[in-house]
Amino acid sequence: MTAMRAMVLERPRTALVPRERPVPAPGPDELMIAVSACGVCRTDLHVVDGELEHPKLPIVPGHEIVGRVAAIGQGVSGFSVGERVGVPWLGATCGVCPYCREGAENLCDAPVFTGYTRDGGFATYTVADARYCFPLGEGGDDAGIAPWLCAGLIGWRSLRLAGDGKIVGLYGFGAAAHILAQVLKWQGRRTFAFTRKGDTRAQEFARSLGAEWAGASDDLPPELLDAAIIFVPVGALVPAALKAVKKGGRVVCGGIHMSDIPSFPYSILWEERQVRSVANLTREDAREFLALAPQAGVKCAVTCYPLDKANEALADLRQGRLEGAAVLIP
Ligand SMILES: [Zn+2]
Ligand SMILES: [Zn+2]
């Protein structure tokens, strides 16, 4: 175990390249992890496409990591070699800024993000700050739970911010929405799914996971929504969703990047409708979701690719050719 394989982004807007590297040793407070599966998230696409500023370069993307502890750094407690762990997007926070001190570490002034400002999981090994890793137990297979680490966690945070309303609209039926539809069903709430016009396959997929209605993103649903969550990076969906929520309703934007939002009449925001974004996650979000997902029986639909097919996985995600989530298996 001296060399590892990684798919590396050397410059934005270029393909990832396979590289052999020395296996990293865990520093203080770190775990060295043998990756068993790593999900491919839309945020990875934004990093590769140069839509997020100042990535560490070269960077190994990937922040939905499931793996086993291979070595333990100094000062780490609570983990054992061989234990299955998950590594999410939030790689580390400063612990001292006003946001960290107020329990809003997702907004930390000096954060570290897995697969963006520190190397992630498109590799056979990775190191991560143990304080931001989560024990995953042995339930569920590695590939099937990898999407929990971002699609699940950010989806869960988005749903919390959307409130407790009975009818929730999900715009874009990809990895996050297909998890949330299952959570909503388990919670006894109603899901309306919005997809690209004419994407009958995605609409059928949404109905198969409990969505009561599925239609095009510019359709008005049969009943107005209590809240809408937008998972696709299309700013035009913000006014579309505002038109679909009832008085006092919320529109939550779950992605890290979005095209410009077109101007819209004040009347569709009027009556105390709200628009807000979701940034990153807190460890509390992760603990909540990782406890809830097995209870809710969340099962991910995944398409697995070998590690060296990472570019194909990214292309399939970009083109919307996937049902559910893409996962790399090193
Ligand atoms: Zn901070
Ligand atoms: Zn992500």
Side-chain angles (χ1 to χ4, degrees):
M1 194 177 67
T2 51
M4 61 174 248
R5 287 179 299 115
M7 293 299 286
V8 179
L9 179 73
E10 300 192 326
R11 270 177 305 118
R13 292 175 291 280
T14 63
L16 306 185
V17 287
R19 290 281 182 251
E20 237 179 54
R21 291 177 162 190
V23 173
D29 299 319
E30 288 181 337
L31 298 175
M32 196 253 276
I33 297 163
V35 178
S36 20
C38 186
V40 181
C41 169
R42 186 164 290 281
T43 299
D44 297 312
L45 272 184
H46 294 316
V47 171
V48 170
D49 292 344
E51 288 162 337
L52 298 186
E53 289 188 315
H54 311 303
K56 176 186 94 67
L57 289 173
I59 182 77
V60 179
H63 56 270
E64 296 183 321
I65 305 172
V66 175
R68 296 209 175 254
V69 177
I72 296 179
Q74 226 180 10
V76 174
S77 61
F79 289 98
S80 50
V81 170
E83 183 174 1
R84 190 167 72 160
V85 294
V87 185
W89 168 248
L90 189 73
T93 56
C94 76
V96 296
C97 75
Y99 298 102
C100 281
R101 277 186 289 186
E102 284 163 14
E105 64 181 359
N106 60 307
L107 300 178
C108 175
D109 283 332
V112 175
F113 295 119
T114 310
Y116 176 35
T117 59
R118 82 173 289 166
D119 283 336
F122 289 7
T124 50
Y125 288 91
T126 193
V127 288
D129 188 321
R131 295 165 294 186
Y132 298 82
C133 296
F134 298 91
L136 291 179
E138 296 296 332
D141 65 293
D142 299 332
I145 62 177
W148 291 7
L149 272 304
C150 185
L153 303 189
I154 301 284
W156 173 245
R157 182 174 181 82
S158 304
L159 184 58
R160 270 209 306 113
L161 298 182
D164 298 325
K166 203 76 186 153
I167 305 180
V168 178
L170 302 176
Y171 283 75
F173 208 82
H178 103 289
I179 290 173
L180 278 195
Q182 299 174 57
V183 172
L184 285 162
K185 186 175 179 195
W186 175 71
Q187 291 178 327
R189 299 206 259 173
R190 300 165 64 194
T191 300
F192 291 178
F194 298 80
T195 73
R196 261 186 279 221
K197 208 181 195 74
D199 192 348
T200 50
R201 210 180 76 165
Q203 291 167 9
E204 194 43 54
F205 181 50
R207 279 189 286 265
S208 77
L209 291 172
E212 178 180 322
W213 173 91
S217 53
D218 55 359
D219 284 350
L220 272 183
E223 290 175 62
L224 290 177
L225 312 169
D226 291 297
I229 306 175
I230 302 174
F231 288 116
V232 275
V234 179
L237 292 179
V238 172
L242 275 170
K243 287 178 196 158
V245 298
K246 60 174 71 154
K247 288 185 277 190
R250 301 183 193 179
V251 174
V252 176
C253 304
I256 194 168
H257 173 83
M258 204 180 231
S259 58
D260 286 356
I261 300 169
S263 70
F264 54 83
Y266 178 62
S267 59
I268 64 173
L269 180 64
W270 163 242
E271 296 169 325
E272 304 195 343
R273 292 175 182 85
Q274 303 175 42
V275 178
R276 72 174 297 174
S277 64
V278 169
N280 313 312
L281 66 134
T282 66
R283 284 173 284 181
E284 191 53 32
D285 296 324
R287 281 187 282 268
E288 278 178 18
F289 179 76
L290 293 173
L292 159 165
Q295 290 176 42
V298 173
K299 297 269 179 290
C300 289
V302 296
T303 305
C304 292
Y305 300 76
L307 178 61
D308 60 4
K309 295 276 187 268
N311 290 306
E312 284 84 339
L314 288 166
D316 288 348
L317 179 60
R318 180 182 282 111
Q319 299 302 326
R321 284 192 289 253
L322 286 158
E323 203 156 80
V327 177
L328 299 182
I329 307 292

